[in-house]
Amino acid sequence: MADAVLRLNDVRRLFDVSAPWLARILSGTGPRMLKAVDGVTFEIARGETFALVGESGCGKSTVARLVVGLYEPSSGSIEIDGTDIASLKTRKAQAPVRRRVQMVFQDPYASLNPRWRVKDIIAEPIRTHGLIRGEAAIRARVDELLRQVSLTPADGDKYPHAFSGGQRQRISIARALASEPEFLVLDEPTSALDVSVQAQILNLMKDLQRRLGLTYLFISHNLAVIYHVSDKVGVMYLGRLVEVAAKADLFARPQHPYTRLLLDTVPDLAMTGRERVAVRGEVPNPIDPPSGCAFHPRCPFANERCKTERPSLLAAGGNMVACHAVQEGRLPPWGGAA
Amino acid sequence: MKPLLELRHIRIELPTRRGTLLAVDDVSFTIGEGEVLGVVGESGAGKSITAAAIIGLLEPPLRLAGGEILLDGARIDNLPPDAFRRIRGKQIGAIFQDPLTSLNPLYTIGRQLVETIRTHLPLGDKAATARAVELLQEVGIPGAAERFNAYPHQFSGGMRQRVVIALALAANPRLIVADEPTTALDVSTQAQIIALLKRLCRDHGTAVMLVTHDMGVIAETADRVAVMYAGRVAEIGPVRQVVKHPQHPYTVGLMGSIPSIGDTLERLPQIDGAMPRLGSIPPGCAFNPRCPKVMERCRVDRPDLLKAHATEAACWLHASISPGEAARG
Amino acid sequence: MAVDVRAGVVRRAWDTDLAYSFRNSPVAVISAIVTLVLILGSLFAPWVAPHNPFDLSTISLIDAFDPPQWIEGGSPDFPLGTDEQGRDVLSAILFGGRISLGVGLFSTIFAVVLGVTAGLIAGWRGGVIDAFIMRVADVQLSFPAILVALLIDGIVRSTLPHDEQDQIAMLVLVGSIGLSGWVQFARLVRGSTLVERNKEYVQAARVIGVHPIRIVVTHVLPNVLTPVLVVATIYFAFAIITEATLSFLGVGVPPTEPSLGTLIRVGNGYLFSGEWWITVFPAVTLAALVLSVNLLGDWVRDALNPRLQ
Ligand SMILES: Nc1ncnc2c1ncn2[C@@H]1O[C@H](COP(=O)(O)OP(=O)(O)OP(=O)(O)O)[C@@H](O)[C@H]1O
Ligand SMILES: Nc1ncnc2c1ncn2[C@@H]1O[C@H](COP(=O)(O)OP(=O)(O)OP(=O)(O)O)[C@@H](O)[C@H]1O
Ligand code: SF4
Ligand code: SF4
Ligand SMILES: [Mg+2]
Ligand SMILES: [Mg+2]
């Protein structure tokens, strides 16, 4: 596809979680690496919302941070608008590309500098990249941005503490929009908010996408929210994508046993009286992931092959799935979340 | 059902230099034996401080300025701190959002459990240890006996939260106050904790006050639910009725704004505006600036809880409705 | 118009929580008044002091050892009496206060600038640089501040010719007291920087593409400065005492231009021969100054602590 705004090619990110150097020598242990992201490949087309979902600690935020450049990939490449970021060596060279990819963070309380006025927070990208010259013109743009996220220009003179969580998240969005991005990474933008405020923010995001033609990478662990906002969904487990599919396909015909399990654990608001399936076993340790398919200790369909051979992401029934049972056709058809 | 816990006209004040603010204003409800009361509502609505008042852990400058709290028919809100400490733990167990605040990182899980058990029950070391292991098994820690000597940091978040629940259960309390017990956990762990709480109510007749803003959790767990808004109960009733046939306009808006799998909405219905802050709660009904059904009277008179079909709602819409009229679906 | 604006500013300052907490803390108000009187008195010493104790032409040995004015034999010319050279004790205190306050202020500024910079670099860069800076700090911390100051003073004295020593005495004092104090600021700032560095607003600035140095200066620095201000007020009092101690030990400023510490040391010799006022009044002044600055520091710390508000 030519018009992919973002493309990740077999991206890996390791973290060094070894004991301090001296302690390591004394105890005779080697370095320990944590594979937070372990070979992830996907692309996002212009104007689309791609959602990442998965349990806590599976590497969603690490993918987000890799995309916006807060982390460097340990291997693999990240292309933005067809340009491999690694080929741009200096900060200066990267700036025009990076500017077009912005991020909205999870915690609305920590993501705004408490000592800056809102107007300066929003103007920071404009000043940093010299997008607009002249204080009056900058202020006019800030006012426009504030109105775009349903705040008022008068709010620009206040400090962040005067705002509620939902209003702060709007300020974060306005700041992200200030650099005129085409691509926004939203890392759990509503999970710290109430459902009523969440609805306001999700609606705002959709409005902005329609008006400005934005592309989103949306991260959440709430499947209902993902269903509401996304076009395509990637399911992550322990640093790897286990299933990628269009939203309708994923929710109607989930293939991977883990995806099915996730759908089973969705809280039952409709109160059909179904019991949620309690997941077997604990989330495995990412420093020491299980061999073969990392899901095998918790998978009801695991066999010998699953314990030794790692499944790769292959097409199956319209979805991309990494599972031996799916490839071997020995998985029962999905009967719906019941 | 005989009420185990009863709150009567609770008022919690917050003195500030600009005058005394009412953080919780005239809240009453009851919880029966073996019943789960869900408490939901927007952030800052007063859920946590109501819970804190029940377990006697209101943080100054907040203070209980009026009303009565009764456990099993006896007042507990006016007990001296020492007597309260005995009740807390023995009769009332508390679970908070962050399991690390209730666990001491320097002691093993087992030691903390044994200590708590021995404070409240007349057991010897041996018997207390046996009971501790039993508790850990009950909350679903795999290999409880082997993990007995583990430290909190060696457990995952979900396991720590289960240990906190085990601590809260140590003395077989009659009431558990759980403030956002699953918010810090992911969905699969959350399902386990919820299942555990439900089983306790069923098997031991424990009453639970479950504070959360996750409607999904409430729908699955609670028998009744109280919706709080700006320091007051806006609606209270059986969970099915409140979720499926909400009567208060705020509850209607709240339920409507929850996305669900399978809906085909382009936009979620939203309640515009934000909940007023403590200092600027409008006169009359606190919801009136955001309410789509606001009437003249709402701006002047404050509604108390009124019978509204199967629930009770603090809304003038229900002032003169005869039973059966204007049922909403 | 301008008056209006200023009235507005005053009004707003009066209305802040800080001002409110100040008005409601008698200790803070009294300490502030004492500090202010001492600072103003020292600052305007040439105008408010009855005599100039450094002007040899006005000093007469005939006036030596006069007791304070309310004691038999005292004179209204010398309200707090005179010392062994006939200098007015009150004037000497006011002029000496200038030196004490000056040394305290400048060595505090020196320590803060040095410590904050080191702490920011260590906390922000982490890794080897952090380890190096903090090891140096650890080593220095194992020596008492006085020892460090004595060491620096000793080095300067042994390398510079005698007649230049008195001229740079002030500089040596400021340098050595400042140098012995940077560690606590560095540790404090490093700790908060480590916390702030990982906060999302700093990450947001990085995603925007703000230059790292700019992030440190405009985002991190303002957010780590509050505890520094608190410690600085306390350090200021400590610096004044250190100066007094060094002067008392004879390594400080020359006796011809005495600081409070020097006055106490010189007067100490006459304490038991009955001329107690020569040492007691400077000592009381020093104690009052240090105590009130310290109390002010305590108040600032509590007033800025959101948990105690
Ligand atoms: N800077 C780091 N150093 C070491 N380990 C890290 C670092 N950042 C993340 N990790 C580890 O990488 C794994 C993935 O973390 P990540 O934050 O991406 O998870 P996540 O899917 O976003 O989880 P959550 O839903 O809890 O936010 C975790 O095991 C985490 O402990
Ligand atoms: N220690 C305190 N000092 C001052 N005000 C407080 C304190 N604790 C709570 N409040 C105020 O009391 C009100 C109710 O707070 P509470 O914590 O009960 O809300 P909540 O409904 O639990 O919200 P959340 O969902 O965010 O936990 C809020 O306006 C809050 O700012
Ligand atoms: S590969 Fe095997 S263990 Fe992994 S999900 Fe498929 S069936 Fe389960
Ligand atoms: S009382 Fe009036 S304003 Fe309040 S919820 Fe009912 S209709 Fe709306
Ligand atoms: Mg994350
Ligand atoms: Mg709360």
Side-chain angles (χ1 to χ4, degrees):
Chain A
M1 208 189 310
D3 208 19
V5 178
L6 175 79
R7 181 177 287 134
L8 269 71
N9 279 322
D10 199 24
V11 170
R12 234 169 274 269
R13 170 69 209 204
L14 311 181
F15 288 110
D16 189 348
V17 290
S18 321
W21 173 78
L22 193 61
R24 220 158 66 212
I25 296 202
L26 292 179
S27 64
T29 49
R32 286 160 77 78
M33 299 305 261
L34 183 152
K35 290 182 191 159
V37 172
D38 188 12
V40 163
T41 303
F42 66 86
E43 60 181 34
I44 306 180
R46 194 171 302 282
E48 181 181 79
T49 301
F50 185 92
L52 273 183
V53 62
E55 266 165 329
S56 176
C58 69
K60 305 181 297 292
S61 297
T62 307
V63 169
R65 281 147 188 272
L66 285 163
V67 169
V68 296
L70 284 172
Y71 292 152
E72 303 268 310
S74 306
S75 72
S77 68
I78 299 175
E79 288 171 30
I80 293 169
D81 275 334
T83 315
D84 184 350
I85 287 293
S87 69
L88 304 170
K89 294 293 177 226
T90 62
R91 275 175 47 85
K92 262 218 157 63
Q94 290 187 359
V97 183
R98 289 257 181 251
R99 178 174 66 74
R100 283 180 284 169
V101 182
Q102 288 300 311
M103 178 153 174
V104 176
F105 292 87
Q106 171 176 358
D107 184 351
Y109 293 90
S111 55
L112 304 176
N113 187 338
R115 294 183 188 271
W116 282 32
R117 284 182 201 275
V118 167
K119 61 178 180 202
D120 296 318
I121 292 175
I122 297 178
E124 191 175 28
I126 304 175
R127 298 207 169 100
T128 303
H129 297 288
L131 298 179
I132 297 175
R133 306 273 167 205
E135 278 311 300
I138 291 180
R139 182 66 215 238
R141 171 79 176 132
V142 168
D143 290 352
E144 183 192 333
L145 285 163
L146 280 167
R147 271 191 291 261
Q148 229 166 33
V149 296
S150 308
L151 294 171
T152 61
D155 290 328
D157 291 315
K158 300 181 190 153
Y159 286 94
H161 70 77
F163 295 91
S164 71
Q167 290 169 325
R168 286 171 193 237
Q169 212 56 313
R170 289 168 197 270
I171 298 170
S172 280
I173 293 176
R175 171 178 58 191
L177 293 179
S179 38
E180 296 162 21
E182 353 178 321
F183 187 92
L184 281 190
V185 176
L186 302 130
D187 189 359
E188 316 221 16
T190 62
S191 47
L193 305 176
D194 299 316
V195 279
S196 55
V197 183
Q198 167 173 288
Q200 295 176 347
I201 297 292
L202 294 181
N203 286 339
L204 172 66
M205 276 178 47
K206 283 200 153 189
D207 293 345
L208 290 171
Q209 183 167 42
R210 203 166 346 100
R211 271 215 306 267
L212 305 173
L214 295 170
T215 308
Y216 291 146
L217 170 60
F218 187 94
I219 292 173
S220 178
H221 54 246
N222 184 332
L223 280 165
V225 169
I226 289 209
Y227 183 87
H228 183 72
V229 299
S230 67
D231 300 311
K232 230 170 143 184
V233 185
V235 181
M236 280 188 80
Y237 189 76
L238 225 60
R240 299 173 61 84
L241 277 172
V242 295
E243 184 160 5
V244 180
K247 170 179 77 179
D249 295 333
L250 188 100
F251 283 91
R253 288 177 299 281
Q255 304 276 331
H256 197 281
Y258 177 65
T259 314
R260 293 181 174 191
L261 184 136
L262 271 187
L263 284 172
D264 271 335
T265 53
V266 172
D268 178 22
L269 191 60
M271 292 192 295
T272 51
R274 107 183 125 82
E275 286 273 326
R276 270 205 262 175
V277 188
V279 192
R280 296 196 307 174
E282 282 292 323
V283 184
N285 182 352
I287 300 177
D288 225 347
S291 60
C293 171
F295 189 55
H296 83 249
R298 302 165 80 184
C299 179
F301 307 103
N303 63 12
E304 276 315 308
R305 185 178 172 207
C306 302
K307 288 182 189 152
T308 50
E309 187 186 330
R310 196 147 90 175
S312 36
L313 199 63
L314 299 167
N319 303 3
M320 299 288 289
V321 188
C323 170
H324 295 311
V326 171
Q327 299 303 327
E328 293 161 8
R330 61 181 170 86
L331 209 62
W334 169 247
Chain B
M1 203 164 6
K2 180 165 124 273
L4 177 70
L5 176 79
E6 186 171 0
L7 265 64
R8 290 185 186 154
H9 309 292
I10 292 299
R11 280 158 57 94
I12 298 174
E13 289 183 351
L14 175 66
T16 71
R17 48 180 286 227
R18 292 179 186 87
T20 299
L21 304 175
L22 267 181
V24 165
D25 186 7
D26 196 10
V27 164
S28 306
F29 57 74
T30 61
I31 308 180
E33 265 171 32
E35 187 183 39
V36 181
L37 177 78
V39 179
V40 294
E42 213 140 316
S43 181
K47 308 182 294 289
S48 295
I49 55 177
T50 306
I54 294 171
I55 50 182
L57 289 179
L58 261 189
E59 258 182 63
L62 290 166
R63 60 164 187 256
L64 193 61
E68 299 175 357
I69 301 174
L70 295 93
L71 187 70
D72 234 353
R75 273 186 77 165
I76 56 169
D77 54 291
N78 53 2
L79 289 178
D82 259 352
F84 213 125
R85 201 167 313 130
R86 274 194 296 278
I87 288 187
R88 187 164 62 229
K90 176 125 186 63
Q91 311 250 20
I92 307 179
I95 305 168
F96 298 103
Q97 173 170 354
D98 182 4
L100 286 179
T101 55
S102 322
L103 293 175
N104 187 332
L106 299 179
Y107 297 125
T108 63
I109 301 285
R111 171 151 175 213
Q112 297 187 48
L113 267 170
V114 168
E115 246 165 44
T116 310
I117 292 169
R118 297 200 55 187
T119 331
H120 296 296
L121 300 176
L123 290 180
D125 216 27
K126 264 243 165 60
T129 307
R131 167 103 181 105
V133 173
E134 192 184 298
L135 273 170
L136 286 177
Q137 273 159 358
E138 194 165 348
V139 298
I141 302 279
E146 294 100 77
R147 319 263 338 221
F148 193 74
N149 287 320
Y151 288 89
H153 72 91
Q154 293 167 320
F155 277 16
S156 75
M159 288 164 78
R160 277 186 216 138
Q161 191 60 294
R162 274 176 266 172
V163 173
V164 172
I165 295 180
L167 276 173
L169 295 178
N172 282 325
R174 319 220 10 229
L175 171 72
I176 291 180
V177 176
D179 191 357
E180 318 245 4
T182 59
T183 309
L185 308 174
D186 58 79
V187 268
S188 45
T189 324
Q190 183 185 331
Q192 295 171 335
I193 303 280
I194 295 301
L196 172 66
L197 278 178
K198 276 168 96 165
R199 189 157 49 79
L200 287 171
C201 296
R202 208 172 43 223
D203 298 354
H204 300 272
T206 317
V208 178
M209 172 174 169
L210 178 63
V211 177
T212 173
H213 40 228
D214 188 334
M215 281 309 302
V217 169
I218 294 282
E220 279 190 344
T221 325
D223 300 303
R224 285 189 309 137
V225 55
V227 183
M228 287 189 73
Y229 188 81
R232 290 170 59 83
V233 175
E235 180 162 2
I236 184 166
V239 67
R240 236 190 145 69
Q241 302 302 323
V242 174
V243 172
K244 297 217 158 158
H245 309 287
Q247 297 299 320
H248 191 284
Y250 172 67
T251 323
V252 173
L254 192 67
M255 296 304 157
S257 62
I258 303 170
S260 67
I261 293 174
D263 70 17
T264 48
L265 303 166
E266 180 49 31
R267 285 172 65 87
L268 291 166
Q270 69 178 49
I271 319 173
D272 289 322
M275 191 175 72
R277 299 171 141 235
L278 272 190
S280 52
I281 296 178
C285 170
F287 189 56
N288 82 59
R290 305 172 73 188
C291 180
K293 310 221 159 167
V294 59
M295 302 171 289
E296 226 19 78
R297 183 178 188 186
C298 309
R299 300 205 171 89
V300 197
D301 293 341
R302 198 174 70 177
D304 283 318
L305 280 176
L306 302 163
K307 188 102 199 68
H309 307 290
T311 79
E312 288 172 73
C315 169
W316 290 126
L317 286 175
H318 301 282
S320 54
I321 285 179
S322 55
E325 188 190 318
R328 229 173 313 191
Chain C
M1 177 65 205
V3 175
D4 268 13
V5 171
R6 206 159 326 134
V9 170
V10 169
R11 191 55 294 148
R12 241 181 299 143
W14 178 258
D15 270 344
T16 55
D17 288 335
L18 208 63
Y20 175 80
S21 123
F22 182 74
R23 290 201 296 281
N24 282 285
S25 161
V27 173
V29 174
I30 293 172
S31 322
I33 292 173
V34 171
T35 313
L36 210 65
V37 165
L38 290 174
I39 289 179
L40 290 179
S42 310
L43 210 60
F44 297 107
W47 295 278
V48 297
H51 305 273
N52 182 348
F54 305 136
D55 185 355
L56 292 175
S57 63
T58 66
I59 308 179
S60 152
L61 273 179
I62 301 170
D63 300 323
F65 298 123
D66 264 12
Q69 86 180 81
W70 61 89
I71 287 177
E72 179 76 56
S75 115
D77 269 357
F78 308 109
L80 298 181
T82 58
D83 66 3
E84 81 285 0
Q85 298 174 34
R87 292 186 296 203
D88 175 36
V89 170
L90 175 61
S91 307
I93 288 175
L94 290 174
F95 277 89
R98 293 182 110 184
I99 295 173
S100 292
L101 283 169
V103 170
L105 186 68
F106 287 110
S107 53
T108 303
I109 291 176
F110 186 46
V112 166
V113 170
L114 205 63
V116 168
T117 313
L120 279 175
I121 294 174
W124 180 260
R125 294 297 301 273
V128 182
I129 294 175
D130 177 28
F132 176 74
I133 294 179
M134 291 336 278
R135 283 307 83 74
V136 172
D138 285 347
V139 169
Q140 172 158 354
L141 211 60
S142 56
F143 295 102
I146 297 279
L147 204 64
V148 175
L150 279 175
L151 204 71
I152 294 174
D153 186 76
I155 294 172
V156 172
R157 268 169 212 272
S158 60
T159 50
L160 281 181
H162 201 77
D163 49 335
E164 280 175 29
Q165 280 176 12
D166 279 356
Q167 287 158 25
I168 60 149
M170 278 282 278
L171 262 180
V172 173
L173 267 182
V174 168
S176 53
I177 297 174
L179 210 56
S180 65
W182 69 275
V183 172
Q184 47 178 311
F185 294 104
R187 292 193 149 189
L188 193 70
V189 169
R190 171 182 175 266
S192 341
T193 304
L194 282 174
V195 174
E196 297 298 318
R197 181 181 71 173
N198 290 320
K199 287 223 179 123
E200 291 180 346
Y201 73 88
V202 172
Q203 316 240 343
R206 287 175 57 194
V207 173
I208 288 167
V210 184
H211 195 279
I213 293 179
R214 217 184 136 76
I215 296 181
V216 173
V217 174
T218 64
H219 284 288
V220 179
L221 183 61
N223 281 295
V224 300
L225 226 43
T226 307
V228 169
L229 283 182
V230 175
V231 176
T233 47
I234 293 163
Y235 188 78
F236 178 60
F238 171 80
I240 292 175
I241 293 185
T242 310
E243 184 277 330
T245 315
L246 287 174
S247 297
F248 189 85
L249 294 173
V251 290
V253 289
T256 47
E257 284 185 30
S259 69
L260 287 178
T262 320
L263 289 175
I264 298 168
R265 168 170 63 103
V266 173
N268 212 24
Y270 305 97
L271 187 56
F272 297 105
S273 54
E275 291 86 13
W276 51 269
W277 57 88
I278 305 180
T279 190
V280 165
F281 289 120
V284 168
T285 312
L286 180 68
L289 178 64
V290 168
L291 188 67
S292 49
V293 170
N294 242 325
L295 288 172
L296 264 185
D298 278 354
W299 167 76
V300 173
R301 186 190 56 211
D302 292 348
L304 294 180
N305 183 348
R307 294 188 66 89
L308 293 175
Q309 257 170 23

